[in-house]
Amino acid sequence: MTTSSFPIISKPAIEDMETKPNLDYDKVRGNFDWQQMYDELDWLPGGGLNKAHEAIDRHANGRNRDKIAMIWEGKNGEKETYTLRQMKEQSNKFANVLTSLGIEKGDRVFIYMERLPELYFAFFGILKVGAVAGPLFSAFGPDPVKDRMLDSEAKVLVTQPDLRRKITPIIPVLFELQHMVIVNKNNRDPQPLMSGDLSYEEEMSKATANFDTVITSQYDYSIMHYTSGTTGKPKGAVHRHQAVVQQYATGKWALDLQEDDIYFCTADPGWVTGTSYGMIAPWTNGVTQLIYEGGFRASKWYQLIQDYNVTVFYTAPTAIRMLMKAGDDIPGRYDMSSLRFMASVGEPLNPEAVVWGNDVFGMPFHDNWWQTETGAIMCANYACQDVNPGSMGRPIPGVELGIVDDEYNEVPVGEDGNLVVRPTWPSMFHTYWNNTEMYNSRFRKGWYITGDTARVDENGYYWFVGRADDVINTAGHLVGPFEVESALIEHPAVAEAGVIGKPDPIAMEIVKAFVSLKDGYEESTELRRDIMRFSRQKLAAAVAPRELDFVPTLPKTRSGKIMRRLLKARELGLPEGDTSTLEDD
Ligand code: ATP
Ligand code: MG
């Protein structure tokens, strides 16, 4: 099977499209050379390259200096806007603060805070001094913060009062930590500082707004991100400044960012999407970005899209499924007419969800695939192309993907195998921090091994099958959980589904499903039978779940990925392993 049962969503020919998409795929891919994209960057004297300069200063120094870069809405309804020039000044100031604290090129500076404007100023200030920025999810408890701070040996932590108090017990063991800079946004906290802390506001008020960005080379480290930990212990993937070229290019090609866009990316910077596409891609492309401090609430998101005339929306499957769960009628109550492009990443996007987007918003969700390690989008459904619901699209120009067997030899079109990438692509990670051995283990026979399984069809569209670790072997059939989950969520009562292989003496493994129900449905034996019958009709009997449990919610990472390994560990009564990224709800 190379296509889903959902029909292709076709797009008008490019000449006819109201806004011309940023990529004519077939034309570009044939004679592509990354050099032409590198030439679009604004290099620093002596051939230097710095993400902060590309994202902020180059625009702030040009005709767009008074353009709004950031529209921020706080969780208490506060509204602030910042022009490119203000972004430049604020990040310069923070760079001066860091310099006064003795921070130098290559030092690690971590950020542990909510999506406040100051997070973004600090982030770019860190890059401007040539240090390595490490954003952490604000929802982390003390232990995940401790592990990442110790592993990276970060010297400075930028945080906010409540989070500072939360991690007080771990501070004495962070031996490399020299300073904590506390952001007390709009004086929200009456007692923001503990002994030894620095006040962000006070330090910034002493700093000047002039700073010459440290000349970093394209190979210097810029950002490190610990992976989501969906399959195991998070690993610190280290990225270099040159990643900017692919982040810029894919912002244009895969998200179709155009100069007048108002862009809304729902990802937190604690996850790679929140930096690559919540900072670098939009601002290198010079668009206005909406940042919302609060979390997920369907009606709030719709209202934000309406109130700020959002044109491009980038989110994750789990959020889309929650929007679907909230009901088809909600978007109808808001004016969504500003939207022109929607995209999704992080997990396979069920075909059902792609089609739902098309029905309810008049445009499909465009799925794209990449990982922390790849640094930028690698495979996408483009604005200029038909969308195959359930497919993650075609490789971006300049990227070669492959499907190989367990000996790393390419398999024929249409067959499942390991998804691999030909090194090197510009945004490729350079190492796992302190773990070269694991880094080296990801390369075989001239390929980078992604850890995912997929297949490619005759038209060059890639179809995600599963994570290599999650593939289920049942009575001789290899089953990707995604296929089963997608069939389950087509049932009207099912909101989300997670599928695992449960050891079985005869079949080796059986397919077991965990299902959460949409609002308005009650658990019952009847309903369980109905869902199982439904899935047997959709899938081959051998592939359909043999067991099905109802659960109120599925365990997920903070970036919204279903943690199947946790479902499995709980089912089998095994230790849960690393749960530092588990979302608590
Ligand atoms: P860890 O490597 O620690 O287990 P993780 O792989 O979940 O965590 P990320 O780098 O955030 O950490 O996620 C990348 C993975 O997410 C991909 O390898 C793939 O399994 C999944 N993924 C991302 N986008 C898609 C997509 N569009 N379709 C299917 N899967 C996707
Ligand atoms: Mg991974």
Side-chain angles (χ1 to χ4, degrees), residues 227-231 235 371-373 432 442 448 450-452 467 561:
T227 56
S228 298
T230 313
T231 52
K235 340 170 238 301
Q371 326 178 287
T372 308
E373 290 87 342
Y432 289 122
R442 300 290 295 261
Y448 161 71
T450 67
D452 289 342
R467 290 163 180 271
K561 297 157 194 277

Side-chain angles (χ1 to χ4, degrees), residues 315-326:
T315 190
T318 181
I320 297 169
R321 288 190 296 262
M322 281 162 78
L323 293 176
M324 291 168 73
K325 187 174 175 177

Side-chain angles (χ1 to χ4, degrees), residues 134-146:
L136 300 173
F137 275 109
S138 59
F140 275 159
D143 281 346
V145 175
K146 182 180 83 183

Side-chain angles (χ1 to χ4, degrees), residues 226-235 271-273 317 344-349 367-373 379 392 432 442 450-452 464 466-467 469 482 557 559 561 565:
Y226 287 84
T227 56
S228 298
T230 313
T231 52
K233 195 170 155 30
K235 340 170 238 301
W271 175 37
V272 68
T273 306
S344 164
V345 70
E347 270 204 310
L349 182 62
D367 189 16
N368 54 62
W369 176 92
W370 59 293
Q371 326 178 287
T372 308
E373 290 87 342
C379 186
M392 55 199 197
Y432 289 122
R442 300 290 295 261
T450 67
D452 289 342
F464 184 83
R467 290 163 180 271
D469 296 355
F482 170 56
T557 66
S559 47
K561 297 157 194 277
R565 72 172 159 94

Side-chain angles (χ1 to χ4, degrees), residues 48-66:
L49 191 65
N50 189 290
K51 283 175 174 162
H53 176 79
E54 294 303 319
I56 306 297
D57 290 16
R58 85 176 282 190
H59 300 291
N61 298 341
R63 67 184 163 87
N64 276 340
R65 64 174 64 88
D66 294 320

Side-chain angles (χ1 to χ4, degrees), residues 134-211:
L136 300 173
F137 275 109
S138 59
F140 275 159
D143 281 346
V145 175
K146 182 180 83 183
D147 293 346
R148 288 157 182 77
M149 292 289 291
L150 281 176
D151 187 57
S152 63
E153 303 184 316
K155 287 188 180 166
V156 173
L157 183 66
V158 188
T159 183
Q160 60 190 52
D162 51 330
L163 300 179
R164 160 68 176 96
R165 286 192 286 270
K166 185 156 90 176
I167 58 167
T168 300
I170 64 163
I171 303 301
V173 303
L174 301 179
F175 304 112
E176 304 297 329
L177 180 66
Q178 296 171 0
H179 301 284
M180 272 190 287
V181 183
I182 314 294
V183 177
N184 189 17
K185 181 69 184 169
N186 299 342
N187 288 316
R188 281 177 182 176
D189 199 287
Q191 273 195 311
L193 301 183
M194 298 176 74
S195 114
D197 293 350
L198 297 171
S199 153
Y200 173 91
E201 291 75 18
E202 209 176 300
E203 296 301 311
M204 289 290 273
S205 72
K206 292 188 287 193
T208 79
N210 298 319
F211 186 82

